[in-house]
Amino acid sequence: MQLTFNKDSKAPGATALEDISSLVDLRCGQAAVLESLEVESDLGRRLMELGFFPGGDVVAAGCAPGGDPRVYRVDGSEIALRTETARFLKIRTSSIRTITPPKSTSSRS
Amino acid sequence: MSAGDSCHNLAEPSSTIGLDPSVRSLRHYVALVGPPNAGKTTLFNRLTGLRQKVANFPGVTVEHHVGKARTTAGREVFLIDLPGIYSMEPRSEDEEVTRDVLTGAKPGIGQPDAVILILDATNLHRHLLLAAPILSLGLPTLVVLNMADDLAKRGGSIDPAALAAQLGCPVALISAATGQGVDKVQQFLEGSSARPPATAKRVELPILQDLPGCRRWAGQVGSDSGYSAPAPPIWTRRLDSVFLHPQLGPFVFLLVVISVFQAIFSGAQPLMDGVESWITLSGNWLGAALPEGVIRSLLIEGIWAGVGSVLVFLPQILMLFLFIGILEDSGYLARAALIADRTMSLVGLQGKAFIPLLSAYACAVPAILSTRTIENKRDRLATILIAPFMTCSARLAPYLLLIGTFVQDRPLLGPFLHTQTAAMLGLYLLGFLAAIATAQLLRSTVLRRQQSVFVLELPPYRMPNLRSLGLRLYDRAFVFLKNAGTVILLVSACLWVLAHVPYKDGQPAKLEDSVAGQIGHAIEPAIKPLGFNWKIGVGLITSLAAREVIVGTLGTIYGIENADKDDVNLQQALRKDLTPAGAGALLVFFAFAMQCFSTIAVVRRETGGWFWPSVQFVYMSVFAYLSAWGTFVLLSR
Ligand SMILES: Nc1nc2c(ncn2[C@@H]2O[C@H](COP(=O)(O)OP(=O)(O)OP(=O)(O)O)[C@@H](O)[C@H]2O)c(=O)[nH]1
Ligand SMILES: [Mg+2]
């Protein structure tokens, strides 16, 4: 079962296709607005319970030596995900911004 | 599970209270609920005076525990400590336990009379997500905002009274670790504020199925109660930039592990010598005080030699536990799981399985229980089946004895790494590799790979609490001493008897001809190819109960054998009986064999039948035998 949780009721086609990328494309210290979670509904639920909400901020905080899994900062906590999962968490490319590392990076919603 | 090994007692808390349905209606049960790592068990321990395991990673508690608390006014309340949950929709077995207790589906408890919802005040918005489903249970609820000390230190704040008005239930801002504000929890238990204050209007809870809606609600409630989030944990970020550094991270890890093992060998040596000389002295004293005869022989050569030879290893075992305790309490364990995920995925497991595997370095029994946090059933089973390969603390005593006896201690990398340490590390690595290989085997045969997802929350680093660390070591030492005073003492005494009967002409049989000797000789053909003689064989039989028993057994056998000589220690006696190749084979055998009743029992319980424990036992025994044989053949060429 595949479910898509969209940020708003807007049809998925409303955003230009090339504007969509995934969390994997975030480099360390970059933040972006989460657009949708294109994962199985059970997992989507758990990810939301951990703070991955469409419309919320996600910061790429780092990764394990070797590059996988990656660590994301969402909603006040740090969550590790494998690349194979992060790939299905979509962001809008235009929302990517760089956060200066030592500064406060807490994402208030 | 009453078979004695030195480890299972943590998993089977004798101190918590059994649930008797007949008295249920007379008792007041209060459940401690909250997201993982919010501090539920810390509060539980503080209120009940018990010592359930607290550590800084999500998923420490995997069973419900009941404990009795007495309020300041003398009321008796039964607290239920529960595994952490994110919502009322469980994804793993530990979460199911909590859901079942809360809905009254758990037999014997029924629905709790009240709930204490514990949330981490430093991460309030997300933790408030759980408030909606818990409040909608309709039970009298106290919301506890824990970690008040941390919140204040990092410059955050919250108005508990405003939050109470928003949620329609009492709210207490506390620090379970320091005890600040816990009196408000006592008041709640007293019953004075079990009901919502009369002034509170009925609050609108969001629709639970609509998670984004719930999150908006949580955010609104939070900001309406004047919540200002604390600054991010700076130290956690700094430490992670070292520990998760691509090159530095693994290097630091290796450095720490090596120095710990070096410390176990050289640092614990004075302590060990102290214990040893104390045992020798007291043995001599006892020997001098008792008249020559059967009793003296039983006490000195049987029991003292047996129990004493195990007691010597107490300092080293405690050092290992100190290290594991620091790893768990600091929050590094979750990072270790993250780093290990890559390796684990090669054999079809995920990094989360690494947490039980790491705790199996202490003991396989709690490790097998903690696999409950693994969501995927096949992942969980595979982890249960490989966990006993990890080098548990019960293997430490035979390892230390054999390595100390047969490996020349020379510096290998300067003073930093000695040959004995290297041998020890090699054995730990061997166990880990056997586990990984077995996982691979399982994955390609019976437990074919299923899609499994790795999602892990990384807690902030915390300073390990010295008091709780100290108490844990104390408990550990107590379990070890109790085990030495019961199981090992009993085995030593029985063995002494078996080594002296049958009597002929009023004289005890010679060791070789005694019942123990005959049993040993009976299995000698089977173990001869591994380079073991009948005495080792007797040790192998007794160590089926628990691994460290072999040390006690050998102590007793050599104690009897050398009764007439003064001052022959275990090491010298062993060198006469085992070739280095045989010692290598024995080490390998211990690395792989499943000699532990408690582990078998817990695998049966967690897999729901005898099938998997039998498969596991046979597999590990065959594996151990063949590898020991191979080692012996290789080394004796
Ligand atoms: N600074 C601070 N740390 C705390 C406080 N309460 C608990 N901790 C720490 O938080 C961590 C988690 O505590 P636990 O009591 O094991 O948490 P839990 O909710 O039982 O966790 P699970 O059993 O995994 O669900 C431990 O490292 C505790 O020492 C507190 O009030 N202040
Ligand atoms: Mg707990």
Side-chain angles (χ1 to χ4, degrees):
Chain A
M1 191 168 55
Q2 177 106 355
L3 255 179
T4 304
F5 298 94
N6 266 71
K7 180 186 164 191
D8 31 43
S9 49
K10 213 168 19 172
T15 16
L17 208 58
E18 59 269 25
D19 194 30
I20 295 296
S21 48
S22 80
L23 281 187
V24 178
D25 302 313
L26 278 188
R27 269 183 289 119
C28 237
Q30 286 188 325
V33 177
L34 195 60
E35 177 73 16
S36 62
L37 292 81
E38 291 175 1
V39 293
E40 200 203 330
S41 67
D42 259 13
L43 177 62
R45 236 198 115 79
R46 176 48 49 94
L47 287 173
M48 285 205 259
E49 286 161 8
L50 287 166
F52 289 94
F53 282 102
D57 261 3
V58 184
V59 182
C63 54
D68 193 20
R70 295 149 184 271
V71 182
Y72 295 99
R73 215 167 277 149
V74 280
D75 213 358
S77 29
E78 296 197 339
I79 314 285
L81 297 176
R82 278 186 184 166
T83 306
E84 64 190 34
T85 312
R87 180 172 302 134
F88 295 105
L89 306 194
K90 302 296 183 189
I91 53 175
R92 213 174 303 169
T93 316
S94 56
S95 72
I96 297 182
R97 60 202 187 279
T98 305
I99 297 174
T100 32
K103 278 275 181 185
S104 159
T105 44
S106 76
S107 52
R108 299 230 32 202
S109 41
Chain B
M1 290 189 298
S2 58
D5 71 341
S6 56
C7 8
H8 69 281
N9 295 44
L10 274 187
E12 204 68 12
S14 49
S15 42
T16 54
I17 293 154
L19 299 164
D20 179 1
S22 61
V23 294
R24 171 64 184 93
S25 56
L26 303 175
R27 290 176 170 180
H28 193 70
Y29 279 94
V30 179
L32 292 170
V33 192
N37 216 33
K40 300 174 291 298
T41 308
T42 310
L43 181 63
F44 176 84
N45 287 349
R46 184 167 280 280
L47 292 171
T48 59
L50 295 175
R51 291 195 212 131
Q52 289 300 325
K53 181 169 172 183
V54 167
N56 189 20
F57 59 92
V60 179
T61 310
V62 291
E63 292 181 297
H64 63 282
H65 294 292
V66 181
K68 199 172 8 174
R70 198 174 284 280
T71 63
T72 26
R75 182 176 186 205
E76 207 171 71
V77 179
F78 289 83
L79 292 177
I80 315 173
D81 185 25
L82 292 170
I85 51 170
Y86 292 105
S87 66
M88 286 294 274
E89 248 122 300
R91 268 172 70 82
S92 55
E93 270 176 58
D94 56 325
E95 295 175 0
E96 272 167 29
V97 170
T98 304
R99 197 256 334 258
D100 289 351
V101 168
L102 287 179
T103 55
K106 199 96 194 159
I109 310 183
Q111 208 172 25
D113 301 292
V115 170
I116 296 180
L117 174 64
I118 299 171
L119 308 176
D120 179 353
T122 62
N123 194 358
L124 191 63
H125 280 136
R126 180 161 79 72
H127 277 208
L128 268 176
L129 259 187
L130 186 60
I134 297 299
L135 288 176
S136 68
L137 288 173
L139 297 167
T141 303
L142 169 72
V143 174
V144 163
L145 307 178
N146 193 24
M147 320 256 180
D149 53 330
D150 207 12
L151 182 73
K153 216 178 289 163
R154 279 159 50 190
S157 65
I158 173 83
D159 177 3
L163 185 60
Q166 293 280 324
L167 295 177
C169 68
V171 174
L173 181 62
I174 74 161
S175 164
T178 65
Q180 166 201 343
V182 172
D183 50 321
K184 295 190 201 97
V185 182
Q186 295 268 9
Q187 277 168 28
F188 175 77
L189 294 179
E190 203 61 66
S192 53
S193 48
R195 298 282 152 200
T199 49
K201 57 180 191 307
R202 253 207 87 55
V203 288
E204 283 296 330
L205 290 176
I207 301 158
L208 298 181
Q209 295 316 315
D210 173 24
L211 265 178
C214 285
R215 179 60 185 83
R216 278 193 295 276
W217 170 81
Q220 192 61 48
V221 167
S223 27
D224 287 353
S225 345
Y227 180 59
S228 92
I234 298 172
W235 272 106
T236 297
R237 308 241 161 123
R238 284 187 189 149
L239 287 174
D240 269 345
S241 65
V242 176
F243 290 143
L244 297 181
H245 189 275
Q247 291 90 34
L248 220 51
F251 180 72
V252 168
F253 180 71
L254 215 63
L255 209 71
V256 172
V257 171
I258 291 181
S259 25
V260 165
F261 279 102
Q262 191 59 50
I264 288 182
F265 269 104
S266 34
Q269 199 60 46
L271 279 173
M272 238 179 115
D273 291 345
V275 176
E276 198 165 6
S277 59
W278 180 82
I279 289 169
T280 318
L281 270 178
S282 57
N284 288 347
W285 175 82
L286 203 65
L290 288 170
E292 183 100 14
V294 176
I295 298 291
R296 185 177 122 171
S297 166
L298 169 66
L299 278 180
I300 305 293
E301 291 134 30
I303 293 174
W304 218 250
V307 174
S309 53
V310 177
L311 283 187
V312 173
F313 297 104
L314 179 62
Q316 291 172 318
I317 286 172
L318 288 186
M319 280 188 81
L320 180 73
F321 275 100
L322 179 68
F323 173 57
I324 294 178
I326 292 175
L327 272 191
E328 289 182 340
D329 282 2
S330 61
Y332 184 76
L333 202 63
R335 274 78 183 178
L338 183 67
I339 295 173
D341 181 66
R342 225 16 193 342
T343 318
M344 302 294 283
S345 73
L346 291 180
V347 292
L349 285 174
Q350 52 143 308
K352 238 184 184 171
F354 198 64
I355 293 180
L357 288 185
L358 270 179
S359 63
Y361 279 132
C363 176
V365 173
I368 285 167
L369 283 177
S370 70
T371 58
R372 288 184 181 188
T373 57
I374 299 173
E375 293 137 23
N376 184 303
K377 289 271 188 295
R378 290 185 187 188
D379 274 10
R380 178 168 181 228
L381 185 55
T383 312
I384 290 177
L385 293 179
I386 65 174
F389 274 120
M390 307 302 279
T391 306
C392 69
S393 63
R395 286 179 173 106
L396 207 54
Y399 279 8
L400 287 165
L401 175 66
L402 288 169
I403 290 178
T405 309
F406 289 96
V407 178
Q408 278 275 325
D409 198 28
R410 279 182 285 111
L412 203 62
L413 287 180
F416 192 65
L417 180 65
H418 282 234
T419 40
Q420 290 191 341
T421 312
M424 190 63 137
L425 280 170
L427 285 168
Y428 272 74
L429 195 64
L430 202 64
F432 182 68
L433 291 180
I436 290 294
T438 305
Q440 179 69 55
L441 183 73
L442 287 167
R443 282 325 198 145
S444 51
T445 53
V446 277
L447 297 175
R448 282 197 187 278
R449 195 162 183 169
Q450 244 177 20
Q451 171 75 20
S452 78
V453 186
F454 173 73
V455 181
L456 180 70
E457 194 180 342
L458 300 180
Y461 288 103
R462 291 187 203 288
M463 200 60 196
N465 183 324
L466 286 183
R467 197 184 108 88
S468 83
L469 218 54
L471 283 176
R472 251 211 261 178
L473 288 190
Y474 173 83
D475 285 348
R476 191 38 63 171
F478 182 79
V479 168
F480 184 85
L481 291 176
K482 195 177 127 209
N483 178 50
T486 51
V487 181
I488 296 187
L489 189 142
L490 220 65
V491 170
S492 302
C494 291
L495 191 69
W496 182 88
V497 173
L498 290 181
H500 283 83
V501 289
Y503 267 61
K504 253 197 223 127
D505 315 324
Q507 285 294 316
K510 280 201 9 225
L511 189 53
E512 292 260 4
D513 308 324
S514 66
V515 174
Q518 285 166 15
I519 296 176
H521 281 299
I523 66 161
E524 202 170 14
I527 55 173
K528 197 136 208 172
L530 314 185
F532 309 156
N533 66 8
W534 66 270
K535 293 173 210 161
I536 309 287
V538 174
L540 286 181
I541 294 176
T542 55
S543 67
L544 270 181
R547 296 177 174 94
E548 69 271 33
V549 177
I550 192 177
V551 176
T553 301
L554 290 176
T556 302
I557 292 182
Y558 290 122
I560 297 169
E561 196 175 66
N562 300 314
D564 44 348
K565 296 177 208 123
D566 260 359
D567 229 32
V568 175
N569 71 19
L570 194 49
Q571 298 202 344
Q572 290 162 346
L574 259 178
R575 258 186 228 125
K576 270 193 284 171
D577 259 3
L578 262 179
T579 59
L586 192 55
L587 283 171
V588 168
F589 187 86
F590 266 83
F592 297 149
M594 189 182 185
Q595 302 145 294
C596 182
F597 282 151
S598 319
T599 307
I600 295 175
V602 78
V603 172
R604 194 200 73 85
R605 198 177 104 191
E606 295 298 302
T607 59
W610 282 110
F611 178 74
W612 286 113
S614 317
V615 169
Q616 190 178 22
F617 182 78
V618 171
Y619 171 77
M620 289 184 70
S621 306
V622 171
F623 195 100
Y625 187 89
L626 292 180
S627 318
W629 178 70
T631 310
F632 181 67
V633 171
L634 261 177
L635 288 181
S636 42
R637 276 202 305 184

